[in-house]
Structure formats: C-alpha cells, structure tokens
Amino acid sequence: MSACVIQVINPNTSLAMTERIGDAARRVAAPGTEIIAVSPSQGVPSIEGHFDEAIAAIGVLEQVKQGKARGVQGHVIACFGDPGLLAARELASAPVVGIAEAAMHMATLVATRFSIVTTLPRTLIIARHLLQRYGFEHHCAGLHAIDLPVLALEEGAGTARHKVRDFCIQSSRGCDTGAIVLGCGGMADLAWELTQELGMPVIDGVSAAVKLIESLVSLGLTTSKRGDLDYPLAKPLSGMFSPLR
Amino acid sequence: MSACVIQVINPNTSLAMTERIGDAARRVAAPGTEIIAVSPSQGVPSIEGHFDEAIAAIGVLEQVKQGKARGVQGHVIACFGDPGLLAARELASAPVVGIAEAAMHMATLVATRFSIVTTLPRTLIIARHLLQRYGFEHHCAGLHAIDLPVLALEEGAGTARHKVRDFCIQSSRGCDTGAIVLGCGGMADLAWELTQELGMPVIDGVSAAVKLIESLVSLGLTTSKRGDLDYPLAKPLSGMFSPLR
Amino acid sequence: MSACVIQVINPNTSLAMTERIGDAARRVAAPGTEIIAVSPSQGVPSIEGHFDEAIAAIGVLEQVKQGKARGVQGHVIACFGDPGLLAARELASAPVVGIAEAAMHMATLVATRFSIVTTLPRTLIIARHLLQRYGFEHHCAGLHAIDLPVLALEEGAGTARHKVRDFCIQSSRGCDTGAIVLGCGGMADLAWELTQELGMPVIDGVSAAVKLIESLVSLGLTTSKRGDLDYPLAKPLSGMFSPLR
Amino acid sequence: MSACVIQVINPNTSLAMTERIGDAARRVAAPGTEIIAVSPSQGVPSIEGHFDEAIAAIGVLEQVKQGKARGVQGHVIACFGDPGLLAARELASAPVVGIAEAAMHMATLVATRFSIVTTLPRTLIIARHLLQRYGFEHHCAGLHAIDLPVLALEEGAGTARHKVRDFCIQSSRGCDTGAIVLGCGGMADLAWELTQELGMPVIDGVSAAVKLIESLVSLGLTTSKRGDLDYPLAKPLSGMFSPLR
Amino acid sequence: MSACVIQVINPNTSLAMTERIGDAARRVAAPGTEIIAVSPSQGVPSIEGHFDEAIAAIGVLEQVKQGKARGVQGHVIACFGDPGLLAARELASAPVVGIAEAAMHMATLVATRFSIVTTLPRTLIIARHLLQRYGFEHHCAGLHAIDLPVLALEEGAGTARHKVRDFCIQSSRGCDTGAIVLGCGGMADLAWELTQELGMPVIDGVSAAVKLIESLVSLGLTTSKRGDLDYPLAKPLSGMFSPLR
Amino acid sequence: MSACVIQVINPNTSLAMTERIGDAARRVAAPGTEIIAVSPSQGVPSIEGHFDEAIAAIGVLEQVKQGKARGVQGHVIACFGDPGLLAARELASAPVVGIAEAAMHMATLVATRFSIVTTLPRTLIIARHLLQRYGFEHHCAGLHAIDLPVLALEEGAGTARHKVRDFCIQSSRGCDTGAIVLGCGGMADLAWELTQELGMPVIDGVSAAVKLIESLVSLGLTTSKRGDLDYPLAKPLSGMFSPLR
C-alpha cells in the first residue's frame, strides 16, 4: 500500500496527454507515492482559452470528487491555467495544487526572474492573470507564445517542441531571465532534458505540483476549511451537475 | 420590434430571483430595449463560493449560446462574481457585461471610493479578486458581509434586507466612502430606494449592466474578436458539453 | 422638451473642435437626449501638457457652473486628460464624466487589454497618470504618440488622421491588444469608421462619455455629495475667479 | 546679494498664512538663501478640496511666472496638495517642489513608515492620490484628519493645533509609525517643537521643500526640459489667462 | 549514505534554538534525507532587527560555504527574515530556501489569505518587506507581534508560546484568514500541534523549507547560475571576510 | 570647526574610489560642511552582486560606528545598492542616506520619469529591488547596464565612461526619460559635466545624498528611534562582530 496517492488530473480529454502527464509525475514521485493520472469523462480535447477552461473546470471537479471518494492524499490540476483551482479546493479535503502556480513558486526559489513559454498567443492573457493573482508579476521577465496549438506538442519530435527549445536556448543567452517556466502540461517531459542541456532551470509544473503535494502531505497541511475554502454549502445540484455532489 | 434585445442571465436556478432581476433590468431599460431574463436549465439555486461559480459558468455559457441563436444584442451576467465572464465573451458575438464590473465602473464615476456589501463572508474573497482583476482596489474603501445566505434576500422584508440597509446607513454617516456597491444580484431592487433615502449612490449591478450594454450597442462596440477574446477554437465538445458548441 | 440635456464641454477654445465634438456626441445620443456643446470663454486653443490643463480646468469649471444654472443632467469633459474632473464633480450636482475615463472603462468591457494612441509625446505622461489613477494600468498594452499636435487633427484628411489610422491597422494585426482608445477629443469622428474598417473596437471617449452620462441619469445616480466630492465649501473667491461661485 | 533666492508660494490668499509660511521657510534657509513668500493676487482664502485646488493652481502659475521674471532659483508650492505642480514645472526654468512631496520624501529617509495628519476629512483623498502618484503608499502607515478647517490653524493656541499635537503624541506611542508628516502648510511652525517634544520626526513640508530646492540648486539640477516637462508650447492664452504667458 | 543532505542554518548563535530547529527539520525529512543543523561560529544570539540581520547574513554565508565544501544538496536559512538569502544563492551551487518564503509559499497553497504572527513589533517591518519582495502582499490578511523577544520562545511552556497559541485561536474564529504563518524559527515546534488543535493550517517555515529543498532536488532544479544569481565574481576578500571565498 | 561633519562611506575597499567619492561630495558640500570619506578596513574591492553587498554591509556598520564615535552629523552609504541601509539606520543616531535613494528622490523632483545606467547586468536586479522598495517603479522609464565592471570606471577616460556618456546622449534624444540616474558611486564625477553637456539632469547619488543629509540636519530631523529603526537591542556580539557594538 502506498503511503501517499496523488491524483493527477489532466483537465482535457486527450488520453495521450494524460498518459504523458502521468509519466512526468511518476518520474519525480517519491518511493512511497502512487500517481493516478486521470482525465474527465467529457469535455474538451485541449484547453486554449477561457471557454475551454470553464468546461475543463467541471471536469476537474468531477475528478476531484472521484479522487476524494477513492481517498487520495492530493490532487494536481495539470493544465497551465489552473482551471477550477479554488472550486476544487472547496470540494476537496486533500490539498489541491495547479501546475501553473507550482511552476511559478518553484521558479522564484531558484531565480530572481523567470520567463514563461506557452502555446497559442490567446493563452497569454491566462498566464498574465495568474501572475497577478499569485503575486508573481515582478518575478516574470517575459511571456512568449510559440504560436502553435497545444496538441502540436503531442508530436514527439515536431515543430512545437523545437520552438519551445529554441525559446529556452535564446533566453539562456540573455541575462534578464534566470529560469524558464513551461506554460503547458503537454511540455512536461521537456523540462528535465532542457535543464540539463542548457544548464538553467527549465521548470515543468506537473512534476513541481507532485512534489508540492507530497510536501504538504508530509507537513500535515491540507486545504484550510476555515474561511472561504470551506466545503461548498449543501444545496441541490440539478441536471448534469448532480453527480458533483 | 425592439431596437435592442438584452439577455439578462441569472446564473443560478432560482426562478424567483430571475424574475426580480428581470424586473430590475426592465425598470431602467431604454424605451427601445427588450429584456429577456433567463436562468440555466440546470445548476445551483444560489452562488456562494467558487464551486458554485464553476457550475454557474456553464449555465451562463448555455444561455449565451441560446441568446446568440436568438440574436440578442447583449448579455448580462447577473451574479456579483461575474462567473464565466471571459468565457462568455469568447463565445458571444454581442457584448457581455457582468454585474460586479458594471456596478464598480459606475461607482468610480460618482465617488472617489466605494464600499461593497455582500452576503456570506466566504464570498468576500470573490469580490477581492474582482477588485484586483478590474483595477479598482484603490477605489474600494471597504468590504462588508451581512453574514446571511443569498436566498435570505428573497424574503421581501426580511432580516437580510434590513442588514443591507443598516450597512448603507452607517456608511453614509462616515466620510470614507462615497457610494455603496450592492454585492449580490438579489439586492437589485434595493438600489433605487436606498439611493433616495440616503442621498448617496447605492448601486445595483443589474441595472448598471443593462445601461452599459445599451451604451456599447449604441456606440457600435462589441466584444473584440481580435486577440484573446476571439471565438473558441473549433473542437469537439464531448458528453454533456456538446450542446455548448 | 428633452428628457435629458447633456453639456459636452470642450475644455479648449477651438470652436471647430467644439463643433466636431458636439457632432460626435449627437451621433450616439439617445432620442430623448439633447447635446449642448460648449467651450470656455477664455483659455487655450489646444491642450498639450499640464500647463494647458491647469488653464483648461478653470474653463471646465466656468462651463459646469453655467450648465448647472441651465439645469443640465450631466457634463462631459471632452479632453483626454480629463482636466478638472474632480473639481468639476465637487461643483456639479449632475454627474460629470471625462472622455479618458469613459473610453478606458468601455475598452475594458470589450477587450482584455487596449492600446492608446495620442498626439504629442509630451501628453503620454498624462495618459500614464490617468491609467494609474483609474486603475487600468494592467489593462493597457501600450501607448503611442503620433507626434503631431492636437490641431493637426483638424485638417479633414491630413497626416495626423492617417497616422492614427496606421497605428490602428498595425495594432489590429498583432494579438497583444484587443481594442484601441483614441487619446484626443479631436479624434472623436474617427472611431466609428475605424471600428468598421478594422473589425476591432476603436473607442472615442466623447461618445462613450455621453452614453455613460445617459446611463447614470437613467439609473438615478449622480455625483455623491457624501464625502470628498461634496460641494466646495462656501468661501469668497476673489478676482477673476469670483464668477465661479 | 543672495546666492540663492527661493520663492515660497502660498497658493491661497490668506496673508497671515503666507507670512507664517515665509517664517517657517526662513528658519531653515541657508545663510546665502533669501526667501520671498508670496501668494496669488486672487483666488481662495484656504484650500480644502479639488475645486479650491484648481483655482489655486492658476495662482501658483501666476506667481511662478513672476518669480521667473524676477530670476529666482526655485519655487516652493506651499499647500499640501501640491496644486499645479507639474504645470508649474513646465512653466518654470528653476526647480519647483511641492510641500507634500517634500515632506514625504524626507519622511522616508528617517523612518520606514510615516503617518499623515491633515485638516478636513475631505482632503484625505488628495493625500491618498499623492501617495499613489509619488510612490509612497507602502510607506504610509495611516492618514488622520483633525476635522477642522485650514483656517482654524491660524488661531495661535487653538483647538486645531491641540488636535494635531494630540495625534502626534498618540502616534509616537504605538510602534507602527516612525514619523509624522504635517499635512497642511498652516502647520509649518509646529514641526520643530513637536519633534523636540516627542523625540520623533514631525515633518513640515515647507521647510523640507526649501532644503530640497537649495539641494537641487547646489547640485546644478533643475526641472528637466527634455521630455514632458518642457516649456508649454507657444500658443495664445485668451482672456484672464493672457498674463500667464 | 543519505540520498540527500540538507543543511539547516540557524543564523543566530543560540545552540538550543539550533537544536530545536534541527529537530523540526528532522520530523518532516524524507527517509533518505539527512539534516545537518548548524549555526554560525560567531554573530548574534537572536535576530530582531536589520542590524542583527546584517550580521547574521555573514554567518549564513560562512555556513553555506562549509556546507558547499561538505557537498550538501541544499541549504535552509532558518530565520524568518531570510537574512542573506540572495547572497547565499550566489555563493551556493545547491538550492537555498528561506523559512519565511517557504512558509508563505505553502500558505498560499492551502488558503486564499494568511496571517503572520511574529515576536517583537520591530520585526514586523521585515515581514512587510518580504511580503512585498515575494509578491504575497495581497495574500496577507494581517500581521501580529506578540511583543516578546525571540529567546522568550525558548522557555518550553512560557508566555511567548501561550501568546502565539492565543493569536492562532483567535484567528481561527474569524473568517478573514485561512492559515497562520509562524514568523520565527523558534516557533517551529508549535506548528504541528496547533494545526491539529485548531483544524487550520499553522505553518512553520523550517519544515516547509526542508520539503521545498527536497522537492527541488528531486526535480533536478538548483539555483540558476544564468543571470544575476551566478557565483560571486572572483575578487580578493580582505580581513575577516577572507574565509568566505 | 565645522557646523556639520558628514561621513561618506564607500562600502568597498578601493581607496581610489573612496577618494573620488570624497571629492564629489566635497564639490557640493555647503560652506560649513566637512566631508570625511572613509572605506571599510576589510571587505571587497568592488560591489557587484548580493554576496558583495552582504560583506559591504558589515563594512558600512563598522564605519557608522566609528563615525558615531567621532560625532558626525550624518552618514552617506556610497554604493548604488544602498547596502546595509536599514541596519545602519538602527545603529546610527545621525541620519543615514544611501546614494541610490538619494539619486532617485532627486530625479523625481526634476522629471516625471528617469532612467538608470549601471555597470554589470547582474547588478540590475539590485536596482529593480530598490525601485520597488522605495516606491519608484512607476518613475523609472528604463534600466541599462554598460556591461563593464565597477572598477573599469576607475580608468579616467576609459571605455566605461564613454559607454555611460553614450547611454546618456541616446536617452536625451528620446522623450521617454527626463533624467538619468547614475547607478554607481564610481560615476559620481560624471554627473556635473554630463548635465551641462546634455542640458538634461544627470544625477549622481553621492552629491545628492550629501545635500539630503545637510537638509535633514538643518531641519532638525534624524533617524526615528520610535518604532523599527530604534537602536539594536543590547546583546552580545561574538567573534569578529564584537567591535560593532
């Protein structure tokens, strides 16, 4: 039996990505940690905007509920916009960590300023809003979009991955940025090799979030139920939402 | 035929509240404006936290889609957290205005600083986050929760309404705040009479949002489809979300 | 008799600009709204710095006083620096809206981030300060000066207007900005056609302010006289300022 | 002949206050510095709001022009709202310093956080806006209004002065604030004795501004004419404003 | 042999505190982690101000250098002001984490807003500055000083510990704060029992920092040597500082 | 006997730089002011990072203590990072001013926005942090590093000085910046001639700090001993630090 079971939720419905995210999580999990990689039963195949995020948030809640029933020790939301994060914290009793916050927190521990590389330009606003919400605006030296959709990252050696690498190489030459935050769950497997290649921290939020959950569990800390993250008030959920309660 | 049809979306499923919100909207609508007050076919009866908001956001999208099909000229999101606002802006071609932003914008036009009165303390964080997102932190002199649930406002002359009025009276005596923002769609009908009674702007977001939509329509402005509020990318929506596309 | 009379104050003394501003206001005014376009009896022919603004502020107050005597329902300050805004709010009983704030507020309703185009580079600091004061720094993607004086806009098809259009076209191609705010009352008549041509919101503050005043009137809201925008304290105004009381 | 002539402008028309302000300036002036205390030929007897400030700004410009003609080495704007500061900087060739900024700058050099005591509550918003503009929001531990008008300070041993002293004593006991900023030119003569009595910096902006002007002169620095503080553009000033050019 | 050796540096010279900090670290360390608790060979017995911090920073560097020689995988700076943090990051090749940042980061993962309890009021400014530097100002609901010196915490069941507990109990009753950050390394052993007793996260930075270091090590991340945290430039260190290079 | 003795502390150990800094200070000192230029007995020959700064802070404290014993009226910390500033304020009874803060304060009095030119890129983060701490982020139009070490400035007519001048010339042509702040004590002697040559304020912090100290002395203001800048608590300093008490 595992000491710690962490549910890694891919908020989109692409099973290949779920698998890759699960692999990235397992690579860093502590010996006693079991990773369960899941994705919503229904939703969007990729998340590239606020509309996609709103749908994904419901998928996150569906999975948090299932993970809670299963007794997991923590939940990771493995999409860079951290969709449904505060809603999930209300629902969960275990800690919940988003991969955007995880990567940003880690970046501030190893560099004074970091840059973010993401997929489509339209997702930049999501990163901007998170920087503001999390308090890391002053720690961000720049935001860059490779201008390719999320699923382009699924091609093993495709253009998307080359473009991410190119951005990292270029950033490592200047002196304005000390670390790179990978702004998409689909880039998870690039972090390790780019960190080695460039001699500069290239940070993936999936693995970062797994370690943060393990840390919280080890510290005996979980989502505060005092105040505004208390469980959702008991009220009837009608129609398709009824399974969420 | 109306020159302008505005869809006012109550994001919760309480029909009585939908009606009252519709009435508040009609009271200020211009002669040529028709108000359609709607609520989601499924969801939560009241919105008092992030979990409720995540569910309500889907209901908002469902209704925006229907309003779009019907050819409305604008959409109001009539819950003080403005749930699903940016997602709705992506989906809609007409302008979308949330009642929290509407009330806050109006407040800054008539006072240097305003206070917000809301329902349960756990919803204060939502108001705080919106103040930050919209840029009005410096314009907010204080936040107050009456510590009663949203639906308590449904009782015509109940405690909740008394508590809102008491807070407004008290605020009108100090000199720190020049206007009050009512922090719940269910308080919509209180604004007019309190404004008269206290000789101080007490602002309801539902009516404010209606006027802002009318203004945008009249100016020929609609949600920008250049950049990050462009229509959601075409992709298959599975399961219960398929009606949203 | 008009239901609503709005006084549109051009704070400079250029009558041709007053007329054009009046026309822009009338184009969007509601059926029941009458527009009175005025300018100070004395002052500066154009406003391109803080010195000009200080003078213009007195002209604004002179006109607000006259408008108040005439019983108008609202006052628009039609210069992008919103000169004398808070002073005018103290003096007025009706609502007062500046065109910079009006355009910025509207821009945040249709785009996540906007850009501003103004005239001389020396006026950029005024826009910067307003962004800070109004809370919209995070919503501004960029500021651009065409490097031509205000009055160059008076030439119907001149270079100045071409330069504004060029900037708008260029901005519409990138993905960083979703809307353009026209940073001068003299650009008022460009908004509509550029919005149509570019398929992107190009926002003029004069027309935006008229709609906001109409909105406030319709909502029964006026400048708060509780707190710091109360009428100026009664005290003797000497010399040339005596007509202001 | 003096090495340095500093014009101290009381922006209101109360001659008694002008005199007291002049005295405060002279008490700290360097041996080679001559103080010329002036006030506008017309305007308001005290400044307690934005309306009063708009009028006072013209008086400041009138005096700056005269001081410039007289060849002074610097101008002090001796009203805590720093009315007309940037306009005066455009007009002047010598440096211009406001007493609010002067006091705040000095306070940050001797304490990590300071408090401000001012006159009427309606003037607090002016101090708040200056804190934001100057960048000292984080350095301000609190704002307090004694709720008496400016001219009440004219009574030598009156209630107003007692109330200021009481506030300073109270602040010196807590540990949240390390210095007091006197928020009115009429309090200038209180600073020295309160500093001695309380063993805590109580800072008057008039004397602070004189020293900052002397410092700038000694450093060979004057208002930058590169960029946005360049001289006002040459244009006809009509009517009562014509003497300003 | 341990997979991971973490050096926990108590920046003051109180050996009893070093021991207690070491114990707190060991309680949460992963099976493969060895904790080495050290303190400077010379310095101050407790850190209660900027002067103490400046001295402590040298002690931190002395120890980082020794830890580096010993080949440790990470360094914790176990004083709530995080003295010498960026200097230590330059010197170290392994990651360095301060206990203030560690506790604050963790707090934002389990609550929307946290409060900080510290020792002497004069140390509050240090916490304020860190909140600003780290970006957590909006996440902090309040700061409280028990008004007792650091070493008072050394008495097992003394007043200081009671006062910390009282503050936590009181905070857990309100709804403004969801978690407590213990603002002193000497409070490390209180976190676990208070978390259990109050059913609310009470966070100690020492244990939090240990888990963050373990996380970084596991992720293959270390202090970025690209940019401004690169090793100190090679230059002669004279006198008492020569052992630091 | 001098009315005022100011101790100018060069925090590094380069005697040539100490001399040049002393000269810059003397050039602007008032007739009654005596300048004592000192540097630490031990430390680093130049300060180009946080590690160097931590060491320099001790040197600053050593010198402040000696200056205090000697009865000086003020202390200047003549390194652009203002190392040890708050620690020195605790230790000193006389006022302490850093050259970075001094230059920035002065810059905001003569321009709406300034630029900073510094030496190595790795020192930019120090300037960024100071801008945030002091509140001048909005007043800074840009930061530039000449990419040469501090000691390169010691060569009378070398590349470093050319590069600083080139940056100033270039900045004087644009309209975004109204003043230049020289970001290194070693540039002190460039300010006067560049100001004259370019007709634009080029500001050196050493001379600015001298004038601010003179100003504070003249105003009867000194570091507040109420609150968090009170003298360090009496406690034993062990080892090499014992001379500091």
Side-chain angles (χ1 to χ4, degrees), chain E residues 168-188:
Chain E
C168 292
I169 290 173
Q170 193 180 331
S171 297
S172 73
R173 281 183 195 138
C175 56
D176 210 36
T177 187
I180 309 284
V181 163
L182 297 177
C184 178
M187 301 175 187

Side-chain angles (χ1 to χ4, degrees), chain F residues 53-220:
Chain F
E53 280 204 338
I55 289 171
I58 300 298
V60 166
L61 295 178
E62 171 204 288
Q63 290 304 312
V64 165
K65 202 198 158 199
Q66 292 185 15
K68 193 176 165 183
R70 202 167 164 168
V72 304
Q73 271 72 46
H75 314 264
V76 171
I77 301 179
C79 168
F80 198 74
D82 296 352
L85 179 61
L86 293 180
R89 286 198 176 132
E90 285 182 11
L91 185 59
S93 46
V96 184
V97 174
I99 66 169
E101 61 175 351
M104 292 177 187
H105 281 285
M106 288 301 182
T108 66
L109 298 180
V110 293
T112 58
R113 302 211 304 159
F114 59 82
S115 289
I116 299 175
V117 56
T118 181
T119 53
L120 291 178
R122 71 181 296 159
T123 68
L124 289 174
I125 190 67
I126 294 173
R128 281 185 206 284
H129 285 170
L130 293 182
L131 286 167
Q132 184 186 30
R133 173 67 52 86
Y134 298 154
F136 297 136
E137 286 171 301
H138 282 84
H139 302 83
C140 183
L143 295 134
H144 179 77
I146 58 168
D147 208 356
L148 285 173
V150 166
L151 294 181
L153 290 160
E154 291 304 289
E155 306 156 37
T159 320
R161 305 171 85 77
H162 278 300
K163 285 193 157 188
V164 170
R165 186 171 164 274
D166 287 350
F167 173 75
C168 292
I169 290 172
Q170 193 181 330
S171 296
S172 74
R173 280 183 196 137
C175 56
D176 210 36
T177 187
I180 308 284
V181 163
L182 298 178
C184 178
M187 301 175 186
D189 54 344
L190 287 168
W192 185 274
E193 71 186 45
L194 284 172
T195 296
Q196 303 309 310
E197 179 184 350
L198 303 178
M200 179 190 200
V202 178
I203 304 173
D204 152 53
V206 177
S207 46
V210 167
K211 301 315 287 183
L212 287 175
I213 292 282
E214 287 179 351
S215 297
L216 290 167
V217 169
S218 172
L219 294 167

Side-chain angles (χ1 to χ4, degrees), chain B residues 112-113 138 175-176, chain D residues 121 125 128 132 137:
Chain B
T112 58
R113 301 213 302 162
H138 281 84
C175 56
D176 209 36
Chain D
I125 190 67
R128 281 185 205 284
Q132 185 186 31
E137 287 172 299

